[in-house]
Amino acid sequence: TSIYQEIVFAKKNKRKLLVILLDPEKILVSDVALLCSKIKNAPVTHIFLGGSTFNGNYLDELIVEIKKYCTLPILLFPGDHKQISNEADGILFLSLLSGRNPDYLIEHQINAVPFLKKTDLEIIPTAYLLIESGTITAVERVSLTKPLDRNNIDYVCQTAKAGEFMGNKLVYLEAGSGAKNAIPLEMIKKVVDEIQIPLIVGGGISTQEAIEKVFEAGADMVVIGTAFENDNTFFN
Ligand code: 1GP
């Protein structure tokens, strides 16, 4: 079975999925063994690997090293086509539907094709929606796009639904790494009612209680980056 089928299966069975986002820029290959021992003690189901500014150096080596210690599925979460490695299991093929920069809607995706054709990665088309979070986050800075208004839930729902109609398999509501304000729970509930496909929520989620609330609101996958980066014992 594919990683995506397992995500859909988990959604159907209301089994919540917890993702650790690792930013390759912040990890040394020599740190991986220890890092993986911490991940093993945590109720984590998937690893996302990527960042807005990573140049792709050592990505293969890093993934090979992670796979020595950890059997969780690794999905690339790339900022651009330089962050593609056949050592991973799959890739979120993101389209930044909240923004109006054609580079992040289609140009990077086109440029990724020659690289993707050399891999057997599972490709999961994902509608990626950046939501305003009280601070300017890396996604906004790097993509040169404005996030969606966090108070205009109807428009966010419409965008998510458009993403589904376009054939995306996942919707990712992103507040941005280290966001001051995470995605509003009310927004998560409304988007879940609107779409049939699984929903990923991330950005600025920094406590166990917050994770629980996001799951209760209906998210299928929750992504934790900064909280685990700052404290490797976060889940213990
Ligand atoms: C960012 O959604 C992820 O792309 C995770 O954000 O670093 O704030 O947990 P945090």
Short mmCIF file of all heavy atoms in Angstrom, two decimals, residues 45-92:
data_model
loop_
_atom_site.label_atom_id
_atom_site.label_comp_id
_atom_site.label_asym_id
_atom_site.label_seq_id
_atom_site.Cartn_x
_atom_site.Cartn_y
_atom_site.Cartn_z
N THR A 45 4.31 9.41 13.55
CA THR A 45 3.98 8.44 12.49
C THR A 45 4.70 8.72 11.18
O THR A 45 4.83 7.83 10.35
CB THR A 45 2.46 8.41 12.23
OG1 THR A 45 2.04 9.72 11.85
CG2 THR A 45 1.69 7.97 13.47
N HIS A 46 5.09 9.98 10.95
CA HIS A 46 5.73 10.34 9.68
C HIS A 46 6.81 11.39 9.93
O HIS A 46 6.72 12.17 10.89
CB HIS A 46 4.72 10.95 8.69
CG HIS A 46 3.66 10.01 8.23
ND1 HIS A 46 2.61 9.64 9.03
CD2 HIS A 46 3.48 9.37 7.05
CE1 HIS A 46 1.83 8.80 8.35
NE2 HIS A 46 2.34 8.61 7.16
N ILE A 47 7.77 11.42 9.01
CA ILE A 47 8.77 12.50 9.02
C ILE A 47 8.62 13.31 7.74
O ILE A 47 8.54 12.72 6.65
CB ILE A 47 10.19 11.92 9.13
CG1 ILE A 47 10.39 11.29 10.51
CG2 ILE A 47 11.24 13.02 8.88
CD1 ILE A 47 11.72 10.58 10.67
N PHE A 48 8.52 14.63 7.89
CA PHE A 48 8.62 15.52 6.74
C PHE A 48 10.02 16.11 6.77
O PHE A 48 10.55 16.46 7.84
CB PHE A 48 7.62 16.68 6.83
CG PHE A 48 6.18 16.32 6.54
CD1 PHE A 48 5.19 17.30 6.61
CD2 PHE A 48 5.81 15.03 6.19
CE1 PHE A 48 3.86 16.99 6.35
CE2 PHE A 48 4.48 14.71 5.94
CZ PHE A 48 3.51 15.70 6.01
N LEU A 49 10.61 16.27 5.59
CA LEU A 49 11.97 16.77 5.51
C LEU A 49 12.01 17.89 4.48
O LEU A 49 11.68 17.67 3.31
CB LEU A 49 12.88 15.61 5.08
CG LEU A 49 14.37 15.75 5.29
CD1 LEU A 49 14.72 15.90 6.75
CD2 LEU A 49 15.10 14.54 4.70
N GLY A 50 12.38 19.07 4.93
CA GLY A 50 12.47 20.18 3.99
C GLY A 50 12.49 21.51 4.71
O GLY A 50 12.35 21.57 5.93
N GLY A 51 12.69 22.56 3.93
CA GLY A 51 12.71 23.90 4.50
C GLY A 51 12.64 24.91 3.37
O GLY A 51 12.83 24.57 2.20
N SER A 52 12.37 26.16 3.74
CA SER A 52 12.17 27.17 2.70
C SER A 52 13.47 27.53 2.00
O SER A 52 13.47 27.91 0.83
CB SER A 52 11.58 28.43 3.31
OG SER A 52 10.35 28.12 3.92
N THR A 53 14.60 27.41 2.70
CA THR A 53 15.84 27.97 2.15
C THR A 53 16.95 26.94 1.94
O THR A 53 18.04 27.29 1.51
CB THR A 53 16.38 29.08 3.08
OG1 THR A 53 16.50 28.55 4.40
CG2 THR A 53 15.45 30.27 3.11
N PHE A 54 16.68 25.67 2.22
CA PHE A 54 17.71 24.63 2.13
C PHE A 54 18.17 24.43 0.67
O PHE A 54 17.36 24.37 -0.24
CB PHE A 54 17.11 23.33 2.68
CG PHE A 54 18.00 22.13 2.56
CD1 PHE A 54 19.29 22.13 3.05
CD2 PHE A 54 17.52 20.96 1.98
CE1 PHE A 54 20.10 21.01 2.95
CE2 PHE A 54 18.31 19.83 1.87
CZ PHE A 54 19.60 19.86 2.36
N ASN A 55 19.50 24.31 0.47
CA ASN A 55 20.02 24.21 -0.90
C ASN A 55 20.19 22.76 -1.37
O ASN A 55 20.68 22.51 -2.48
CB ASN A 55 21.34 24.96 -1.03
CG ASN A 55 22.42 24.34 -0.16
OD1 ASN A 55 22.26 23.23 0.36
ND2 ASN A 55 23.53 25.04 0.01
N GLY A 56 19.77 21.80 -0.56
CA GLY A 56 19.77 20.42 -1.00
C GLY A 56 21.07 19.67 -0.77
O GLY A 56 21.13 18.47 -1.01
N ASN A 57 22.11 20.36 -0.30
CA ASN A 57 23.38 19.68 -0.04
C ASN A 57 23.22 18.60 1.02
O ASN A 57 22.56 18.82 2.03
CB ASN A 57 24.44 20.68 0.45
CG ASN A 57 25.00 21.48 -0.69
OD1 ASN A 57 24.83 21.12 -1.85
ND2 ASN A 57 25.67 22.58 -0.37
N TYR A 58 23.86 17.45 0.79
CA TYR A 58 23.87 16.36 1.77
C TYR A 58 22.49 15.76 2.03
O TYR A 58 22.32 15.03 3.00
CB TYR A 58 24.48 16.80 3.11
CG TYR A 58 25.85 17.38 2.97
CD1 TYR A 58 26.08 18.74 3.15
CD2 TYR A 58 26.92 16.56 2.63
CE1 TYR A 58 27.35 19.27 3.00
CE2 TYR A 58 28.20 17.08 2.47
CZ TYR A 58 28.41 18.43 2.66
OH TYR A 58 29.65 18.95 2.51
N LEU A 59 21.49 16.06 1.20
CA LEU A 59 20.15 15.54 1.46
C LEU A 59 20.13 14.01 1.38
O LEU A 59 19.57 13.34 2.26
CB LEU A 59 19.15 16.15 0.47
CG LEU A 59 17.68 15.78 0.68
CD1 LEU A 59 17.21 16.16 2.07
CD2 LEU A 59 16.80 16.46 -0.36
N ASP A 60 20.77 13.45 0.35
CA ASP A 60 20.82 11.98 0.22
C ASP A 60 21.45 11.35 1.47
O ASP A 60 20.89 10.43 2.06
CB ASP A 60 21.65 11.55 -1.00
CG ASP A 60 20.97 11.90 -2.32
OD1 ASP A 60 19.75 12.15 -2.30
OD2 ASP A 60 21.67 11.92 -3.34
N GLU A 61 22.62 11.86 1.84
CA GLU A 61 23.35 11.31 2.98
C GLU A 61 22.51 11.38 4.26
O GLU A 61 22.47 10.45 5.06
CB GLU A 61 24.67 12.06 3.22
CG GLU A 61 25.73 11.83 2.17
CD GLU A 61 25.65 12.81 1.00
OE1 GLU A 61 24.53 13.25 0.64
OE2 GLU A 61 26.70 13.15 0.45
N LEU A 62 21.83 12.51 4.40
CA LEU A 62 21.02 12.72 5.60
C LEU A 62 19.90 11.67 5.68
O LEU A 62 19.66 11.07 6.74
CB LEU A 62 20.43 14.13 5.54
CG LEU A 62 19.86 14.70 6.82
CD1 LEU A 62 20.93 14.77 7.91
CD2 LEU A 62 19.30 16.09 6.57
N ILE A 63 19.24 11.44 4.57
CA ILE A 63 18.12 10.49 4.58
C ILE A 63 18.62 9.06 4.79
O ILE A 63 18.03 8.29 5.56
CB ILE A 63 17.29 10.60 3.27
CG1 ILE A 63 16.72 12.01 3.14
CG2 ILE A 63 16.17 9.57 3.27
CD1 ILE A 63 16.03 12.29 1.82
N VAL A 64 19.74 8.71 4.14
CA VAL A 64 20.31 7.38 4.33
C VAL A 64 20.61 7.16 5.81
O VAL A 64 20.31 6.11 6.39
CB VAL A 64 21.59 7.21 3.48
CG1 VAL A 64 22.35 5.95 3.87
CG2 VAL A 64 21.24 7.18 1.99
N GLU A 65 21.15 8.19 6.43
CA GLU A 65 21.48 8.09 7.86
C GLU A 65 20.21 7.95 8.72
O GLU A 65 20.15 7.11 9.61
CB GLU A 65 22.29 9.34 8.27
CG GLU A 65 22.85 9.32 9.68
CD GLU A 65 24.02 8.36 9.89
OE1 GLU A 65 24.47 7.74 8.90
OE2 GLU A 65 24.45 8.22 11.06
N ILE A 66 19.18 8.74 8.41
CA ILE A 66 17.92 8.64 9.17
C ILE A 66 17.36 7.22 9.03
O ILE A 66 16.91 6.62 10.01
CB ILE A 66 16.88 9.68 8.68
CG1 ILE A 66 17.35 11.10 8.98
CG2 ILE A 66 15.52 9.44 9.35
CD1 ILE A 66 16.49 12.19 8.36
N LYS A 67 17.44 6.68 7.83
CA LYS A 67 16.84 5.36 7.59
C LYS A 67 17.59 4.23 8.30
O LYS A 67 17.05 3.14 8.48
CB LYS A 67 16.73 5.09 6.09
CG LYS A 67 15.61 5.91 5.47
CD LYS A 67 15.16 5.36 4.16
CE LYS A 67 13.87 6.00 3.68
NZ LYS A 67 12.66 5.33 4.11
N LYS A 68 18.83 4.50 8.70
CA LYS A 68 19.56 3.50 9.49
C LYS A 68 18.91 3.29 10.85
O LYS A 68 18.99 2.22 11.44
CB LYS A 68 21.00 4.00 9.74
CG LYS A 68 21.98 3.64 8.66
CD LYS A 68 23.39 3.86 9.22
CE LYS A 68 24.28 4.44 8.14
NZ LYS A 68 25.50 5.05 8.71
N TYR A 69 18.30 4.35 11.36
CA TYR A 69 17.82 4.31 12.75
C TYR A 69 16.31 4.36 12.88
O TYR A 69 15.77 4.21 13.97
CB TYR A 69 18.40 5.49 13.53
CG TYR A 69 19.90 5.52 13.53
CD1 TYR A 69 20.59 6.36 12.66
CD2 TYR A 69 20.62 4.69 14.38
CE1 TYR A 69 21.97 6.39 12.65
CE2 TYR A 69 22.00 4.70 14.38
CZ TYR A 69 22.68 5.55 13.51
OH TYR A 69 24.04 5.56 13.49
N CYS A 70 15.62 4.62 11.78
CA CYS A 70 14.21 4.96 11.92
C CYS A 70 13.46 4.44 10.71
O CYS A 70 13.88 4.63 9.57
CB CYS A 70 14.15 6.49 12.02
SG CYS A 70 12.53 7.17 11.93
N THR A 71 12.33 3.75 10.97
CA THR A 71 11.59 3.12 9.87
C THR A 71 10.36 3.93 9.44
O THR A 71 9.61 3.50 8.58
CB THR A 71 11.11 1.72 10.29
OG1 THR A 71 10.35 1.87 11.50
CG2 THR A 71 12.27 0.78 10.53
N LEU A 72 10.17 5.09 10.04
CA LEU A 72 8.99 5.89 9.69
C LEU A 72 9.08 6.35 8.23
O LEU A 72 10.18 6.60 7.72
CB LEU A 72 8.91 7.14 10.59
CG LEU A 72 8.69 6.90 12.08
CD1 LEU A 72 8.77 8.22 12.83
CD2 LEU A 72 7.36 6.22 12.33
N PRO A 73 7.93 6.48 7.56
CA PRO A 73 7.96 7.01 6.20
C PRO A 73 8.49 8.45 6.17
O PRO A 73 8.11 9.27 7.02
CB PRO A 73 6.49 6.96 5.76
CG PRO A 73 5.69 6.54 6.92
CD PRO A 73 6.59 6.11 8.02
N ILE A 74 9.35 8.71 5.21
CA ILE A 74 9.93 10.05 5.06
C ILE A 74 9.37 10.70 3.80
O ILE A 74 9.53 10.19 2.69
CB ILE A 74 11.46 9.99 4.97
CG1 ILE A 74 12.04 9.35 6.24
CG2 ILE A 74 12.05 11.38 4.73
CD1 ILE A 74 13.56 9.22 6.23
N LEU A 75 8.68 11.81 4.01
CA LEU A 75 8.12 12.56 2.88
C LEU A 75 8.88 13.87 2.73
O LEU A 75 9.05 14.61 3.70
CB LEU A 75 6.64 12.86 3.12
CG LEU A 75 5.68 11.68 3.04
CD1 LEU A 75 4.29 12.08 3.53
CD2 LEU A 75 5.59 11.17 1.61
N LEU A 76 9.33 14.13 1.51
CA LEU A 76 9.97 15.41 1.25
C LEU A 76 8.92 16.51 1.29
O LEU A 76 7.79 16.34 0.80
CB LEU A 76 10.66 15.39 -0.12
CG LEU A 76 11.74 14.33 -0.29
CD1 LEU A 76 12.20 14.27 -1.75
CD2 LEU A 76 12.93 14.61 0.63
N PHE A 77 9.33 17.63 1.86
CA PHE A 77 8.45 18.80 1.99
C PHE A 77 9.28 19.98 1.44
O PHE A 77 9.83 20.76 2.20
CB PHE A 77 8.09 18.96 3.48
CG PHE A 77 7.32 20.17 3.83
CD1 PHE A 77 6.10 20.46 3.22
CD2 PHE A 77 7.78 21.04 4.82
CE1 PHE A 77 5.39 21.59 3.58
CE2 PHE A 77 7.06 22.17 5.19
CZ PHE A 77 5.87 22.44 4.56
N PRO A 78 9.41 20.02 0.12
CA PRO A 78 10.48 20.82 -0.48
C PRO A 78 10.12 22.29 -0.68
O PRO A 78 8.98 22.64 -0.98
CB PRO A 78 10.67 20.15 -1.85
CG PRO A 78 9.30 19.65 -2.19
CD PRO A 78 8.63 19.30 -0.90
N GLY A 79 11.12 23.14 -0.52
CA GLY A 79 10.98 24.55 -0.87
C GLY A 79 11.17 24.76 -2.36
O GLY A 79 10.63 25.70 -2.93
N ASP A 80 11.93 23.88 -2.99
CA ASP A 80 12.09 23.94 -4.44
C ASP A 80 12.69 22.62 -4.95
O ASP A 80 12.89 21.69 -4.18
CB ASP A 80 12.95 25.14 -4.86
CG ASP A 80 14.37 25.06 -4.33
OD1 ASP A 80 14.92 23.93 -4.25
OD2 ASP A 80 14.94 26.10 -3.98
N HIS A 81 13.00 22.58 -6.26
CA HIS A 81 13.38 21.30 -6.88
C HIS A 81 14.76 20.80 -6.43
O HIS A 81 15.10 19.66 -6.68
CB HIS A 81 13.33 21.43 -8.41
CG HIS A 81 14.36 22.37 -8.96
ND1 HIS A 81 14.10 23.71 -9.17
CD2 HIS A 81 15.64 22.17 -9.30
CE1 HIS A 81 15.19 24.28 -9.65
NE2 HIS A 81 16.14 23.38 -9.73
N LYS A 82 15.54 21.66 -5.78
CA LYS A 82 16.84 21.19 -5.30
C LYS A 82 16.70 20.26 -4.09
O LYS A 82 17.63 19.59 -3.69
CB LYS A 82 17.74 22.38 -4.95
CG LYS A 82 18.12 23.21 -6.19
CD LYS A 82 19.25 24.17 -5.97
CE LYS A 82 18.86 25.44 -5.23
NZ LYS A 82 17.74 26.22 -5.76
N GLN A 83 15.51 20.25 -3.51
CA GLN A 83 15.29 19.42 -2.32
C GLN A 83 14.59 18.10 -2.67
O GLN A 83 13.63 17.71 -2.02
CB GLN A 83 14.46 20.19 -1.30
CG GLN A 83 15.15 21.45 -0.80
CD GLN A 83 14.33 22.16 0.25
OE1 GLN A 83 13.62 21.53 1.02
NE2 GLN A 83 14.42 23.46 0.30
N ILE A 84 15.07 17.46 -3.73
CA ILE A 84 14.49 16.17 -4.12
C ILE A 84 15.55 15.09 -3.97
O ILE A 84 16.69 15.27 -4.42
CB ILE A 84 13.97 16.24 -5.57
CG1 ILE A 84 12.79 17.22 -5.66
CG2 ILE A 84 13.55 14.84 -6.05
CD1 ILE A 84 12.31 17.48 -7.07
N SER A 85 15.19 14.00 -3.32
CA SER A 85 16.13 12.89 -3.16
C SER A 85 15.37 11.58 -3.30
O SER A 85 14.31 11.41 -2.69
CB SER A 85 16.78 12.94 -1.78
OG SER A 85 17.37 11.68 -1.49
N ASN A 86 15.92 10.68 -4.08
CA ASN A 86 15.30 9.37 -4.27
C ASN A 86 15.43 8.49 -3.02
O ASN A 86 14.85 7.41 -2.96
CB ASN A 86 15.93 8.69 -5.48
CG ASN A 86 15.05 7.56 -6.02
OD1 ASN A 86 13.84 7.55 -5.79
ND2 ASN A 86 15.65 6.63 -6.73
N GLU A 87 16.19 8.96 -2.04
CA GLU A 87 16.32 8.18 -0.81
C GLU A 87 15.07 8.28 0.06
O GLU A 87 14.83 7.44 0.93
CB GLU A 87 17.54 8.65 0.00
CG GLU A 87 18.87 8.56 -0.73
CD GLU A 87 19.26 7.14 -1.07
OE1 GLU A 87 18.76 6.20 -0.43
OE2 GLU A 87 20.06 6.96 -2.01
N ALA A 88 14.26 9.31 -0.15
CA ALA A 88 13.02 9.46 0.62
C ALA A 88 11.98 8.49 0.09
O ALA A 88 12.21 7.78 -0.90
CB ALA A 88 12.53 10.89 0.53
N ASP A 89 10.82 8.44 0.75
CA ASP A 89 9.76 7.53 0.31
C ASP A 89 8.77 8.23 -0.60
O ASP A 89 8.16 7.61 -1.46
CB ASP A 89 9.04 6.97 1.53
CG ASP A 89 9.99 6.20 2.42
OD1 ASP A 89 10.56 5.21 1.95
OD2 ASP A 89 10.21 6.62 3.58
N GLY A 90 8.58 9.50 -0.37
CA GLY A 90 7.59 10.22 -1.17
C GLY A 90 7.84 11.71 -1.08
O GLY A 90 8.78 12.17 -0.41
N ILE A 91 7.01 12.45 -1.80
CA ILE A 91 7.16 13.90 -1.82
C ILE A 91 5.78 14.56 -1.82
O ILE A 91 4.88 14.12 -2.55
CB ILE A 91 7.99 14.34 -3.06
CG1 ILE A 91 8.15 15.86 -3.11
CG2 ILE A 91 7.39 13.82 -4.37
CD1 ILE A 91 9.18 16.33 -4.14
N LEU A 92 5.64 15.57 -0.98
CA LEU A 92 4.46 16.41 -1.09
C LEU A 92 4.70 17.33 -2.28
O LEU A 92 5.60 18.17 -2.23
CB LEU A 92 4.24 17.23 0.20
CG LEU A 92 3.99 16.45 1.49
CD1 LEU A 92 3.73 17.42 2.64
CD2 LEU A 92 2.81 15.48 1.35
#
